[in-house]
Amino acid sequence: MYSGSSDGESHDTAQRKIPPASSMLWVRNLRRFIGSGAGLGSEALMELETKRILLDIFREKQHKSAEAGTIPSFYKKKPEEGSISQRVQRLAKYRFLKKQSDLLLNADDLDAMWLCLRENCVIDDATGAEKMNYEDFCHIASVCTEQIGPKCRRFFSPSNFMKFEKDESGRIAILPFYLYVMRTVSLTQARIDMSELDEDSDGFLQPHEMEAYIRGLIPSLAQLREMPSAFVQMYCRIAAHKFFFFCDPHRRGKACIKKVLLSNCLQELMELHQESEEEVTDSEQAENWFSLTSAQRICDMFLALDKDMNGTLSKQELREYADGTLTEIFIERVFDEHVRRGKSGGGNAREMDFESFLDFVLALENKDTPEGLTYLFRCLDLQGRGYLTTADIHSLFRDVHQKWIEGGNYELCIEDVRDEIWDMVKPADSLRITLADLLSCKQGGTVASMVIDVRGFWAHDNRENLLQEDEEPEEE
């Protein structure tokens, strides 16, 4: 007991006698010597200087953050043109995109994968479809990896197999899987190409960058190879505008690359890759905004309306659109809401330029989409209150009614049409119709046509006869 206690006391005494390292003279001198940089080699001095610079930068950021309070930083100044930081950023982006491009499957790789899929699948006796179970899936993955390389391995993951519909034997069809691979490769390549054109690397494309992307696609699009070289610039302008109409709803002048990739616009553009073996009518070609026929139609339409050939459209000139079936009040509201005032000022100086005309045509040809209906609703909202009342519908339909009677049709009761519109929309508030009501009822485009276009109202009024005419050729 006594001896154990004595050992503990002597141990504590020994610990108390050892001075701390910082109090030793030789330690202080060594730290001072190293801190000054004396006696260090050039590499050590460079490393020490780098640490000091980084520490100064860190302290400066901490100081700025403390001054800013709890509000996080939401703006980062872009590097100046020609600066080292900008050059480094571009070089890093180029190397990254090059690496991602090298990981993609090319046309030969896709052909080899399709051959592997067909050689190692089984034929369904009932349907004749080519299918594979999970064991076949893993075997094909090994064969493709040997023939193509490891870059195809990511498509043969268990999660990808589970994405596809399976039959009672747990097999999936090889065609949907192959189409999935092709679409993934196509979208990834499109994202790489768009990112290369994104000059400031912010994930958005400006109009001239989108036009450059489309211009680069033209040689690979089978249905655009015959395009006259003089028309290429105008075509790119028209094609790019649809992307911004649907992917830039706030009209900021830039479209998010991710949004562009997921939009139907890109899919519609890529349809022009297909060689049209059978004859296609002009009306079918015109349905695709990106077809050469459609672009030429838009240009011819604008030139035909521009009577004074000044490059813009007045209200009087726009009234001739669609054979003059649009109402006067709608044309007035289009200029009020979507046409910028001229530089010289005054009401007479306001005319519609080509970009505004493209918005106008896109809205009328896509009335059932949220973007098209949003454009039109601003024109229908006469008081700018965010909703339509029975008085608004009455005012809007009055011009349609006048054109209807002038066309020799039967007499209409405006109140009956108004009640029919309310029954079609079924608004949440029985006294007003909002944009959300038009979108949710799935008939917003029809309602808009009824109150702005006498031809649209005629189509609604004769919808049963028109439907019967469409069904007759099918029965034959």
Side-chain angles (χ1 to χ4, degrees), residues 331-351:
I331 298 296
E332 291 285 343
R333 290 295 297 155
V334 167
F335 273 77
D336 290 342
E337 294 293 333
H338 300 291
V339 179
R340 292 168 292 189
R341 193 175 297 277
K343 294 182 180 179
S344 59
N348 296 330
R350 181 181 291 185
E351 292 202 349

Side-chain angles (χ1 to χ4, degrees), residues 164-182:
F164 299 92
E165 183 180 359
K166 290 172 282 295
D167 60 11
E168 61 278 0
S169 302
R171 300 175 300 183
I172 66 172
I174 66 170
L175 182 58
F177 172 76
Y178 180 69
L179 293 176
Y180 160 76
V181 174
M182 288 186 64

